[in-house]
């Protein structure tokens, strides 16, 4: 056996440890660059468990020595002309390969390599993983994820030889045969190499999957990491709902920052550990056991480990020059992190950049279940529940596949489904990876879809509402629009985006926007934090044990409950600030009305009842009031963490509903008390212009703030004296009214006289792109709109600028 026929990423990485030790000195011919490549990776201190490989040439020698070529052709011929089924052909071919005998030289090489591995690690008969890697695997347009078998905790030479034969046989699993036919590969042109790696003791540690981009949007500036306790097979196959982390890669080398922008605790219901026997069989060598309550309530990785893995991801991505899909493992004995596999990501990295489809769900039925969304599409269909791969012949084409979890055996029916729903799994599970590749929307990790749905039920599967996938009863009203990104005009007036949902923000990263003109803090508080800040600062005043119990569950793991609020809010906002960094992200401090604050967990205790909350205790008036001051302090701490600890210094703070100059002074003073001093560390503070007093005293407000952002909804409402929610007066609510336009022109004129910029972040330009023309004529600096109206507003701005010039 030689080592000159290494053909895939998986093979490459398992040789890293050997190369670091200097024992693969003669790598020649077409692989002459392999040594240089591995040296550069080893210099980056990426750890890979030591191992060895039988090459693709060894596979061909094995088939030739056993005269299997003609037999395989015969069985494939039967399948091709319908004389056998997929199951019959696959079973027959696998049995043929498993019956083969090893050529003497290859068997000797395997045994000696295994003994040498044992000598190096100081163990006789070490436990190893036997992993397959096909020559047509991990291509730019085909991942073959999970098509072949992996055998874990293989101990002893005989068990190893048996496992290697099983790996060869797994080149002809039913799912691998189906996938090759789907991709147009000749079955006999594909060969398979076997990587044998020392088992990382992740059975007593943790493991998972990592991507060097966001798997749903393709946003290439983040690394996505999933993690669970025990061996990694459960994460890959989607048998558990793992922890999930996101890291903003550009800040990994930014001194003094911790750019972890998302952490979500997974259920991690089970973990895979070593079995008690020494059989090479997959089930005998490993087993699943329930996790403890402490394990379920704890993150698998600490911050330092998350960042270390993310750095490994960026190094590997930079080296191969493309986004990567990696598997990692942490040794529970010494805590070392290892990369055990790496291959190119094959879906988002090849998505067309010229166009985006945008789905919207209109009228819909009640929510039946929720989980993690995969993709951004919406599909309708009838439920087909299948709990075991043994019953996949029951599947009805075009229906929604609902199951507990999938593995590669399910691929033949997954591609025929209108959508896929699973009880378990995360964004890097088998179901998620394959559904992305097939272009089928999926919702994973629902927890109970197989219990709450029933066969034949009509449902809508929506992945268009951020990271939360929603299953609605019945067929919802769905609209689809295509956003073309070709030939977007250049404009002097900056067009920015209004974003609120961190989970959906990254889907718009390809839009050529010039920043985020409005990020609504209250959306993040409502959907990510979920608890009223005073319920944390004044926890002892809560009247019921039930509310306290809910808060205790939310803040589990935090010695100081208020840090939960700061962390969740900062991370939620960071996912918005990351999309267009370093261009500005203007974050409006919380602007709930009292009735909306009362709806937060624990909020009813602290909020007054008002007859007209729209013009009541809201915005700036809360921030310096004893009734909310300590809650605002937490908001300030979150912004400080976001800008200074996480590194997002592009964040601009905006104060809403600031009625008077005295109020402005009080708010700025309270912000400074909480570490946010205007002008310090580049901090800019804007004010919303939504009250006539903001216009009348604009020159004085300009002395206190760095810019204005016109809220056209409230400015129209308060200028015309019309409740914007009144159906009776809806026909009179008009941002184009001469009085409103006078307000807009006047504030722009006064602000520009003081050298301040003015933007508009209200809904008007999004609903009426023609309104943008009026703003350009008035000299507006920026217009911030909803993503779906960005291109039409941009075109109108360009037309207005051309007319004006």
């Amino acid at each position: 056996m030689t080592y000159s026929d290494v053909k895939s990423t998986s093979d490459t990485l398992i040789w890293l440890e050997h190369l670091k030790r200097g024992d693969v000195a003669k790598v020649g011919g077409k692989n002459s660059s392999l040594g240089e490549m591995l040296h550069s990776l080893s210099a980056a201190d990426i750890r890979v468990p030591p191992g060895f490989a039988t090459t693709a040439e060894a596979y061909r020698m094995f088939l030739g020595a056993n005269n299997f070529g003609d037999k395989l052709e015969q069985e494939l011929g039967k399948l091709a002309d319908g004389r056998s089924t997929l199951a019959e052909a696959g079973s027959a071919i696998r049995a043929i390969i498993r019956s083969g005998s090893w050529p003497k030289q290859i068997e000797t090489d395997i045994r000696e390599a295994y003994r040498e591995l044992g000598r190096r690690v100081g163990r006789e008969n070490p436990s190893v993983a036997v992993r397959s890697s096909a020559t047509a695997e991990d291509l730019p347009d085909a991942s073959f994820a999970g098509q072949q078998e992996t055998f874990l905790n293989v101990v002893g030479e005989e068990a190893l030889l048996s496992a290697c034969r099983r790996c060869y046989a797994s080149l002809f699993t039913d799912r691998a045969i189906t996938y090759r036919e789907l991709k147009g590969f000749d079955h006999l042109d594909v060969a398979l190499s076997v990587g044998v790696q020392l088992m990382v003791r992740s059975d007593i540690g943790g493991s998972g999957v990592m991507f060097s981009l966001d798997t749903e949007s393709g946003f290439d500036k983040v690394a996505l990491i999933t993690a669970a306790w025990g061996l990694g097979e459960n994460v890959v196959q989607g048998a558990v709902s793992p922890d999930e982390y996101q890291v903003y890669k550009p800040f990994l080398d930014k001194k003094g920052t911790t750019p972890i922008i998302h952490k979500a605790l997974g259920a991690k219901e089970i973990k895979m550990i070593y079995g008690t026997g020494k059989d090479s069989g997959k089930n005998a060598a490993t087993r699943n056991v329930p996790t403890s309550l402490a394990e379920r309530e704890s993150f698998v990785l600490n911050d330092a480990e998350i960042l270390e893995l993310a750095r490994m991801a960026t190094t590997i991505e930079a080296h191969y020059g493309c986004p990567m899909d990696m598997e990692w493992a942490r040794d529970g004995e010494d805590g070392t992190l290892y990369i055990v596999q790496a291959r190119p990501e094959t879906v988002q990295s090849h998505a067309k950049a010229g166009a985006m489809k945008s789905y919207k769900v209109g009228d819909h039925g009640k929510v039946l279940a929720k989980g993690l969304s995969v993709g951004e599409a919406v599909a309708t269909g009838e439920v087909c529940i299948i709990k075991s791969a043994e019953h996949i012949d029951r599947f009805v084409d075009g229906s929604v596949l609902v199951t507990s979890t999938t593995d590669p055996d399910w691929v033949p029916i997954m591609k025929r489904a209108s959508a896929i729903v699973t009880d378990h799994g995360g964004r890097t599970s088998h179901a998620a990876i394959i559904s992305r590749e097939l272009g089928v929307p999926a919702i994973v990790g629902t927890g109970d879809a197989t219990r709450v749905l029933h066969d034949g039920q009509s449902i809508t599967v929506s992945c268009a509402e951020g990271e939360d996938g929603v299953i609605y009863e019945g067929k919802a009203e769905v609209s689809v629009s295509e956003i073309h990104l070709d030939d977007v005009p250049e404009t002097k007036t900056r067009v920015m985006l209004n974003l609120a949902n961190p989970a959906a923000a990254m889907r718009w990263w390809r839009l050529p926007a010039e920043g985020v003109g409005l990020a609504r803090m209250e959306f993040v508080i409502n959907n990510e934090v979920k608890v009223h800040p005073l319920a944390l600062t004044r926890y002892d005043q809560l009247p019921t044990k039930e509310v306290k119990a809910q808060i205790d569950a939310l803040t589990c793991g935090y010695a100081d409950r208020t840090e939960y609020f700061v962390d969740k809010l900062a991370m939620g906002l960071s996912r918005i600030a990351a999309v267009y960094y370093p261009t500005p992200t203007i974050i409006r401090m919380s602007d709930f009305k009292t009735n909306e604050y009362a709806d937060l967990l624990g909020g009813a205790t602290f909020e007054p009842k008002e007859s007209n909350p729209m013009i009541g205790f809201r915005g700036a008036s809360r921030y310096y009031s004893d009734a909310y001051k300590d809650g605002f302090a937490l908001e300030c701490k979150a912004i400080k963490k976001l800008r200074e600890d996480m590194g997002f210094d592009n964040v601009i703070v905006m104060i809403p509903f600031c009625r008077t100059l005295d109020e402005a002074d009080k708010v700025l003073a309270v912000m400074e008390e909480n570490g946010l001093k205007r002008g310090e560390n580049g901090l800019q503070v804007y004010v919303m212009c939504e009250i006539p007093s903001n216009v009348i005293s604009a020159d004085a407000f300009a002395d206190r703030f760095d810019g204005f952002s016109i809220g056209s909804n409230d400015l129209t409402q308060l200028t015309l004296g019309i409740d914007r929610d009144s159906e009776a007066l809806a026909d009179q609510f008009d941002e184009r009214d001469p009085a409103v336009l006078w307000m807009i022109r006047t504030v722009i004129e006064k602000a520009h006289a003081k050298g301040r910029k003015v933007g508009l972040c209200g809904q008007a330009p999004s609903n009426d792109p023609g309104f943008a023309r009026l703003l350009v004529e008035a000299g507006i600096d920026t217009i911030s709109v909803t993503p779906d109206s960005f291109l039409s507003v941009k075109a109108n701005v360009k037309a207005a600028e051309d007319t004006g010039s």
Side-chain angles (χ1 to χ4, degrees):
M1 182 179 70
T2 66
Y3 303 129
S4 62
D5 196 28
V6 177
K7 293 190 180 230
S8 78
T9 304
S10 300
D11 293 332
T12 299
L13 282 177
I14 63 173
W15 279 108
L16 176 58
E17 184 68 21
H18 269 258
L19 199 88
K20 285 166 70 175
R21 295 173 184 268
D23 57 24
V24 188
K26 296 179 181 180
V27 180
K30 64 181 177 180
N31 290 306
S32 58
S33 63
L34 179 62
E36 296 173 15
M37 175 175 67
L38 289 176
H39 275 304
S40 68
L41 281 178
S42 63
D45 195 32
I46 295 175
R47 290 173 293 282
V48 177
F52 60 92
T54 67
T55 66
E57 186 59 34
Y59 166 79
R60 294 187 177 97
M61 291 171 62
F62 175 83
L63 292 187
N66 287 282
N67 296 314
F68 283 160
D70 290 343
K71 293 180 181 180
L72 299 190
E73 282 190 5
Q74 289 173 10
E75 294 299 332
L76 289 169
K78 290 179 186 178
L79 174 63
D81 60 23
R83 285 178 291 147
S84 68
T85 65
L86 172 64
E88 290 168 343
S91 178
I93 292 173
R94 292 193 297 274
I96 290 169
I97 294 174
R98 286 197 300 266
S99 70
S101 299
W102 287 101
K104 188 64 179 174
Q105 184 57 50
I106 295 177
E107 179 179 342
T108 299
D109 282 354
I110 292 173
R111 290 182 184 274
E112 178 51 38
Y114 181 61
R115 292 167 192 161
E116 173 61 20
L117 178 63
R119 286 192 288 270
R120 288 177 179 243
V121 299
R123 279 177 244 164
E124 186 178 357
N125 291 327
S127 172
V128 294
V130 180
R131 315 188 69 183
S132 56
S133 181
T135 55
E137 193 174 2
D138 305 333
L139 301 176
D141 60 349
S143 73
F144 282 83
Q147 299 303 318
Q148 282 81 49
E149 297 284 8
T150 290
F151 298 92
L152 303 176
N153 193 24
V154 177
V155 179
E157 293 178 19
E158 298 305 321
L160 173 59
L161 291 167
S162 174
C164 288
R165 275 194 298 268
R166 289 170 180 243
C167 267
Y168 284 169
S170 74
L171 192 59
F172 291 92
T173 59
D174 296 355
R175 71 254 188 177
I177 294 171
T178 299
Y179 192 80
R180 282 196 294 273
E181 291 184 348
L182 182 68
K183 290 291 184 179
F185 289 101
D186 187 306
H187 297 293
L188 296 179
D189 281 348
V190 177
L192 187 139
S193 56
V194 178
V196 180
Q197 292 174 284
L198 184 72
M199 283 290 291
V200 177
R201 289 304 307 269
S202 58
D203 62 309
I204 54 174
S207 53
V209 176
M210 174 167 62
F211 283 82
S212 63
L213 48 58
D214 178 59
T215 54
E216 304 317 309
S217 66
F219 184 49
D220 57 2
K221 290 184 173 60
V222 297
L224 172 69
I225 304 168
T226 57
W229 301 109
L231 302 174
E233 190 78 355
N234 283 338
V235 178
V236 174
Q237 300 298 349
V240 295
S241 299
D243 294 344
E244 183 175 297
Y245 319 97
Q246 282 183 337
V247 179
Y248 188 64
K249 295 186 297 185
F251 288 175
L252 280 168
D253 295 322
K254 191 173 183 179
K255 192 173 180 180
T257 63
T258 304
I260 301 170
I261 63 174
H262 180 59
K263 290 171 70 173
L265 193 67
K268 307 182 296 291
E269 307 93 335
I270 56 174
K271 64 178 178 180
M272 183 177 288
I273 62 172
Y274 285 3
T276 54
K278 294 186 178 181
D279 192 311
S280 65
K282 208 167 183 180
N283 294 328
T286 61
R287 62 193 176 102
N288 275 315
V289 296
T291 50
S292 67
L293 182 60
E295 288 173 320
R296 294 176 201 176
E297 292 180 347
S298 302
F299 285 111
V300 174
L301 296 172
N302 60 38
D303 286 0
E305 290 168 331
I306 294 168
L307 295 176
E308 183 179 355
L309 282 172
R311 288 189 182 96
M312 290 182 181
T314 58
T315 301
I316 294 170
E317 178 185 56
H319 190 83
Y320 289 112
C322 65
M324 298 295 288
D325 166 0
M326 295 147 279
E327 294 178 24
W328 62 271
R330 183 184 63 204
D331 194 299
E333 292 181 334
D334 61 14
T336 303
L337 290 166
Y338 293 91
I339 299 295
V340 296
Q341 179 170 293
R343 58 188 171 209
E345 192 275 343
T346 58
V347 179
Q348 291 294 350
S349 55
H350 295 275
K352 292 182 180 178
M356 300 169 58
K357 280 190 176 178
S358 179
Y359 292 79
K360 279 190 175 179
V361 178
D363 291 340
H364 56 76
K366 69 178 182 180
V367 175
L368 300 174
K370 287 186 176 183
L372 294 173
S373 64
V374 178
E376 298 174 351
V378 180
T380 60
E382 293 187 350
V383 171
C384 184
I385 297 178
I386 298 179
K387 295 187 177 180
S388 168
E390 297 174 3
H391 303 131
I392 61 175
D393 57 336
R394 288 185 48 244
F395 184 73
V396 179
D397 285 2
S399 60
V400 177
L401 172 62
V402 179
T403 185
S404 177
T405 184
T406 69
D407 61 32
D409 288 330
W410 294 75
V411 173
I413 63 169
M414 292 173 74
K415 62 190 176 77
R416 290 153 37 203
S418 62
I420 298 165
V421 177
T422 68
D423 288 343
H424 306 292
R427 247 181 273 276
T428 58
S429 64
H430 174 268
I433 291 172
I434 296 301
S435 66
R436 271 186 220 105
E437 188 166 332
L438 297 174
V440 177
I443 297 177
V444 299
T446 62
D448 60 357
T450 56
R451 184 174 63 83
V452 299
L453 303 178
H454 62 79
D455 277 332
Q457 184 178 14
S458 180
I459 62 171
T460 298
V461 176
S462 172
C463 297
E465 299 166 68
E467 67 182 19
D468 286 336
V470 185
I471 300 168
Y472 297 109
E473 186 175 48
K475 292 188 177 181
E477 201 176 78
V478 180
S479 60
V480 186
S481 60
E482 194 162 86
I483 301 173
H484 294 276
L485 302 181
D486 301 325
D487 301 321
V488 177
E490 294 282 338
T491 59
K492 296 176 185 176
T493 307
R494 297 173 66 187
V495 182
M496 307 170 80
L497 296 185
N498 293 339
L499 295 176
N501 184 354
M506 290 179 188
R507 68 183 296 193
W508 304 109
W509 71 278
R510 288 189 173 93
L511 282 180
E514 296 177 88
V516 178
L518 174 63
R520 298 179 177 92
M521 180 182 286
E522 59 270 13
F523 185 97
V524 180
I525 293 174
N526 194 48
N527 292 277
E528 304 255 330
V529 181
K530 300 178 181 178
V531 60
H532 195 291
L534 299 186
L536 302 173
T537 62
R538 307 177 190 181
Y539 178 83
D540 292 339
Q541 296 179 26
L542 292 169
T544 66
K545 291 181 179 179
E546 289 77 13
V547 171
K548 286 183 175 180
Q550 291 179 63
I551 290 174
D552 290 345
L554 271 180
T555 59
C556 180
Y558 286 88
D560 181 347
R561 295 183 185 89
T562 64
E563 289 304 311
Y564 162 83
F565 185 96
V566 173
D567 276 1
K568 294 292 282 188
L569 182 54
M571 284 189 190
L573 294 170
S574 73
R575 295 163 76 188
I576 298 173
V579 176
Y580 289 107
Y581 186 88
T583 59
T585 291
I586 302 172
I587 295 176
R588 186 177 70 190
M589 305 303 275
S590 67
D591 193 27
F592 284 121
K593 286 68 174 178
T594 49
N595 57 318
E596 295 167 336
Y597 266 117
D599 289 337
L600 291 171
L601 181 60
T605 302
F606 306 104
E607 293 299 329
K609 289 191 168 132
E610 298 183 295
S611 58
N612 192 353
M614 185 69 76
I615 55 174
F617 188 46
R618 62 174 284 200
S621 62
R622 300 179 65 92
Y623 304 158
Y624 57 87
S625 167
D626 289 339
Y628 185 74
K629 195 174 180 180
D630 46 338
F632 183 64
L634 298 187
E635 296 181 26
C636 291
K637 286 181 180 179
I639 294 293
K640 186 175 174 65
K641 179 182 178 75
L642 176 64
R643 283 179 49 85
E644 298 178 15
D645 297 347
M646 302 178 77
F648 291 100
D649 50 14
N650 61 325
V651 164
I652 295 171
V653 172
M654 185 156 64
I655 305 302
F657 226 77
C658 188
R659 296 170 170 93
T660 68
L661 300 174
D662 179 61
E663 192 160 69
D665 292 335
K666 288 178 179 177
V667 169
L668 291 170
V670 171
M671 289 178 62
E672 187 172 338
E673 289 172 12
N674 288 287
L676 295 181
K677 183 178 181 181
R678 179 185 162 216
E680 196 171 87
N681 299 319
L683 176 65
Q684 294 185 59
V685 183
Y686 282 20
V687 65
M688 289 288 290
C689 177
E690 51 195 338
I691 306 168
S693 63
N694 300 143
V695 179
I696 296 166
S697 301
D699 49 356
F701 276 104
D703 292 333
R704 292 160 171 81
F705 294 101
D706 299 289
F708 294 78
S709 186
I710 299 168
S712 58
N713 291 340
D714 272 340
L715 188 60
T716 301
Q717 172 177 245
L718 296 173
T719 298
L720 300 180
I722 293 175
D723 180 354
R724 71 190 197 192
D725 295 327
S726 170
E727 293 182 15
L729 300 174
D731 60 333
Q732 297 185 56
F733 189 90
D734 184 8
E735 294 94 340
R736 293 175 182 248
D737 185 275
V740 179
L741 293 178
W742 181 90
M743 289 281 184
I744 292 172
R745 291 191 191 98
T746 300
V747 74
I748 293 173
E749 184 179 307
K750 288 186 175 184
H752 283 178
K754 288 288 186 108
R756 302 294 187 239
K757 292 184 178 180
V758 183
L760 186 139
C761 62
Q763 192 66 25
S766 298
N767 293 340
D768 178 11
F771 186 69
R773 293 174 180 265
L774 300 175
L775 298 174
V776 172
E777 291 167 5
I780 200 87
D781 295 298
T782 63
I783 300 173
S784 188
V785 298
T786 55
D788 56 347
S789 64
F790 174 82
L791 293 182
S792 58
V793 171
K794 190 83 167 168
N796 275 275
V797 167
K798 178 63 174 174
E801 290 179 347
D802 289 346
T803 301
S805 61

